[in-house]
Amino acid sequence: MPTEDTQELLLPRSRMANERLHAMIPGGAHTYAKGDDQYPENLAPVISHGRGAHVWDVDGNRYIEYGSGLRSVSLGHAHPRVVEAVRRELDRGSNFVRPSIVEVEAAERFLATVPTAEMVKFAKNGSDATTAAVRLARAATGRPRVAICADHPFFSTDDWFIGTTPMSAGIPAATNELTVAFPYGDLAATEELLTRYQDEVACLILEPATQSEPPPGYLAGLRELADRHGCVLIFDEMITGFRWSEAGAQGLFGVVPDLSTFGKALGNGFAVSALAGRRELMELGGLRHSGDRVFLLSTTHGAETHSLAAAMAVQTTYVEEGITARLHALGERLAAGVRDAAAGMGVGDHIVVRGRASNLVFATLDENRQPSQEYRTLFLRRLLAGGVLAPSFVVSSALSDADIDRTVDVVAQACAVYRKALDAADPTLWLAGRPVKPVFRRLA
């Protein structure tokens, strides 16, 4: 484990590896949320390997890991059932000039798991799936505008969404103008938006649930609004898929969208995503209709057999082993422990755990109870020093009760330092470098 003294957690090999990463890869990582700017200065471990809920960095330190693979590894690293399913395909080829039988089996398994959908098409990442959903909606309605939920942080790497963020460089203003926003939980505001852009909005796209549960009747109200205004309702289930229920939030709350997108937990770290929905819409991207063809999803590696095998194993494991219930139980134990530790150290109003038990995040608030990157940096430094790698508190089913208890002990130690910083009204005394930075910002 890393030493308890943050000053002795030097990570020399990780620092050298980060320099090599920046020399060859813009941003030093293939996902901005994994960048070393998201971690305290000189304390961004570069991972060597992982097993279960633990990872090891290139310096030999072991960490209890949360939010694994940006929430994608919900069963833990190198899960035996997933690894075995992939291994069975390794000697059978990965990609062919025609569809493999694995594609049939994977589609059947997915549609049995998510019975609210009638057709499915697989891809490699969430952005491709959400953009395909938007394209289908525009084709089906003949309308140009996309309405996104303003309270949800990410939908796609493509222009229709990134143009709405501070990182909009390179995206024409004309593209940005076609995306409008509505607030989560406010049906009246959404109806006002649809009325203002009458017959122009192709779709409403949102995460059906996030840190808070949808208000009573909200999702059903959106369904009614979409029907009345003739637009397509799209649920982005990248995170809610499997973590809320095997069939996602739509399966839990009983509201059926026209289209939905899945990813993250679907492959337990293997690259696979899915666009699913009503046959009438999905078939517009197919061959069995007489209308204009929609270029839906056509990717060389979308049906690569190893990832589809992984996805089938993940779905089987969730259903047979009750993984969603386990994630909730682990999250509830962790949330209770962190809240008790924070309260015991007098920082219960400053380190705040939020979200569904299977998808916990934390907020770090300053002396005025405002979000603070400086206090987040302080907190992360102490977690790392205690052997906890936690940009969030999103659990995997591989965590043990001992892992949770150890995490709570480390959080308590971090809270003691947090209290000292609050009393001094100066967290910079404990930062030892620049604060961590927001992912979405205009300047590097």
Side-chain angles (χ1 to χ4, degrees):
M1 286 288 201
T3 171
E4 292 296 323
D5 187 345
T6 301
Q7 298 302 317
E8 295 180 24
L9 184 60
L10 300 177
L11 305 184
R13 292 181 179 175
S14 289
R15 290 180 65 179
M16 288 189 291
N18 276 314
E19 288 303 312
R20 291 165 61 194
L21 284 163
H22 278 281
M24 296 177 289
I25 301 168
H30 283 90
T31 309
Y32 284 115
K34 294 184 181 183
D36 56 7
D37 61 335
Q38 302 301 294
Y39 291 84
E41 191 167 6
N42 299 322
L43 285 181
V46 174
I47 305 303
S48 164
H49 63 286
R51 182 166 295 277
H54 295 164
V55 294
W56 286 258
D57 66 23
V58 294
D59 294 280
N61 299 305
R62 186 181 71 170
Y63 305 87
I64 303 168
E65 187 193 41
Y66 292 88
S68 312
L70 304 181
R71 293 177 171 84
S72 67
V73 183
S74 61
L75 300 178
H77 300 290
H79 187 275
R81 293 183 75 162
V82 178
V83 170
E84 179 56 32
V86 171
R87 185 176 289 119
R88 285 197 300 269
E89 294 297 325
L90 286 176
D91 294 329
R92 294 167 53 83
S94 61
N95 211 333
F96 312 102
V97 75
R98 279 281 294 149
S100 72
I101 193 64
V102 176
E103 294 177 52
V104 179
E105 296 165 350
E108 289 173 341
R109 180 68 55 82
F110 181 90
L111 294 174
T113 305
V114 186
T116 44
E118 295 174 326
M119 298 187 83
V120 63
K121 196 158 191 180
F122 296 109
K124 281 299 180 201
N125 62 71
S127 294
D128 285 350
T130 53
T131 293
V134 166
R135 188 181 300 119
L136 265 186
R138 282 172 161 163
T141 62
R143 299 174 179 180
R145 294 190 188 275
V146 177
I148 65 172
C149 184
D151 300 304
H152 298 162
F154 189 80
F155 287 107
S156 176
T157 60
D158 291 300
D159 289 2
W160 63 269
F161 172 71
I162 292 298
T164 69
T165 76
M167 295 177 69
S168 60
I171 300 172
T175 298
N176 298 343
E177 291 167 2
L178 292 177
T179 300
V180 295
F182 62 93
Y184 188 77
D186 190 335
L187 290 173
T190 305
E191 181 161 27
E192 190 279 328
L193 180 79
L194 292 172
T195 301
R196 187 191 328 155
Y197 296 106
Q198 188 69 42
D199 298 329
E200 294 183 37
V201 176
C203 60
L204 300 171
I205 181 168
L206 73 156
E207 296 180 55
T210 53
Q211 293 181 20
S212 58
E213 298 295 272
Y218 173 62
L219 296 179
L222 277 183
R223 174 72 275 172
E224 190 276 330
L225 276 179
D227 291 340
R228 181 150 46 87
H229 286 268
C231 58
V232 175
L233 181 61
I234 303 170
F235 283 175
D236 179 347
E237 299 254 29
M238 292 294 161
I239 294 174
T240 51
F242 298 93
R243 285 191 179 274
W244 266 244
S245 79
E246 290 86 358
Q250 60 193 276
L252 183 64
F253 298 116
V255 175
V256 181
D258 298 303
L259 298 170
S260 55
T261 58
F262 287 75
K264 302 259 186 212
L266 180 57
N268 200 53
F270 282 87
V272 59
S273 63
L275 168 65
R278 291 196 292 116
R279 182 177 301 276
E280 175 187 358
L281 289 171
M282 294 289 289
E283 195 65 87
L284 294 177
L287 300 176
R288 297 186 173 183
H289 67 93
S290 57
D292 291 341
R293 294 186 65 192
V294 177
F295 193 93
L296 186 54
L297 282 167
S298 183
T299 58
T300 298
H301 300 293
E304 173 261 318
T305 57
H306 307 142
S307 291
L308 294 184
M312 287 190 284
V314 166
Q315 290 166 86
T316 300
T317 302
Y318 261 81
V319 172
E320 293 184 358
E321 298 184 14
I323 296 298
T324 301
R326 175 164 174 77
L327 293 175
H328 280 85
L330 288 166
E332 286 168 356
R333 182 185 181 100
L334 176 62
V338 170
R339 287 170 181 145
D340 286 347
M345 293 295 174
V347 295
D349 292 333
H350 302 274
I351 294 176
V352 181
V353 180
R354 297 170 175 161
R356 194 173 183 84
S358 60
N359 190 57
L360 296 172
V361 298
F362 59 83
T364 51
L365 309 182
D366 64 15
E367 54 272 12
N368 298 314
R369 292 173 175 74
Q370 296 300 308
S372 168
Q373 293 297 104
E374 287 79 11
Y375 278 97
R376 179 176 174 83
T377 308
L378 178 156
F379 191 58
L380 290 176
R381 284 184 66 83
R382 300 310 305 179
L383 294 184
L384 287 163
V388 176
L389 181 58
S392 69
F393 283 144
V394 176
V395 297
S396 74
S397 66
L399 287 160
S400 66
D401 288 347
D403 290 328
I404 300 291
D405 293 343
R406 170 61 184 166
T407 300
V408 171
D409 288 343
V410 172
V411 166
Q413 297 165 22
C415 288
V417 178
Y418 206 112
R419 183 68 261 172
K420 293 178 182 179
L422 286 169
D423 291 341
D426 186 5
T428 60
L429 298 174
W430 285 269
L431 297 194
R434 53 107 182 107
V436 299
K437 300 179 180 180
V439 172
F440 290 114
R441 59 187 191 273
R442 188 171 67 86
L443 299 177

